Amino acid sequence: NEEYVEFFDPQDALNKIKYFLKNEEHRMHIASKGYKKYRDKYSSDIFWKTIINKLFDTSVYEINNNF
């Protein structure tokens, strides 16, 4: 589940940048996985559902397109 690429120092970052500039398919795969994780866990719908449920101490509010 590679959703992001970490680096340990400036040289490591530079090496990874060069690698990913040459490997678009791998780069796009990681970007897609990261976006999916954001959409599933951190989208505005999830955020507001969490806030409302905490404010009203309930789990009544469900996520849907009309939220």
Side-chain angles (χ1 to χ4, degrees):
N1 283 338
E2 195 173 21
E3 297 149 347
Y4 67 94
V5 176
E6 62 183 339
F7 59 91
F8 303 101
D9 57 45
Q11 186 61 48
D12 186 35
L14 182 59
N15 290 339
K16 289 177 179 172
I17 290 168
K18 289 177 181 179
Y19 169 81
F20 285 108
L21 286 173
K22 293 178 183 176
N23 294 277
E24 183 176 3
E25 187 175 328
H26 193 188
R27 182 177 75 232
M28 296 306 291
H29 175 74
I30 293 170
S32 176
K33 298 280 269 183
Y35 176 73
K36 182 179 180 336
K37 184 171 189 171
Y38 153 77
R39 190 185 68 228
D40 293 347
K41 293 189 172 205
Y42 306 107
S43 68
S44 60
D45 286 343
I46 300 288
F47 172 80
W48 287 112
K49 177 184 177 237
T50 301
I51 295 299
I52 289 169
N53 286 336
K54 287 186 183 278
L55 284 173
F56 295 104
D57 196 29
T58 182
S59 293
V60 171
Y61 299 96
E62 295 296 325
I63 297 173
N64 61 46
N65 292 334
N66 297 321
F67 190 140

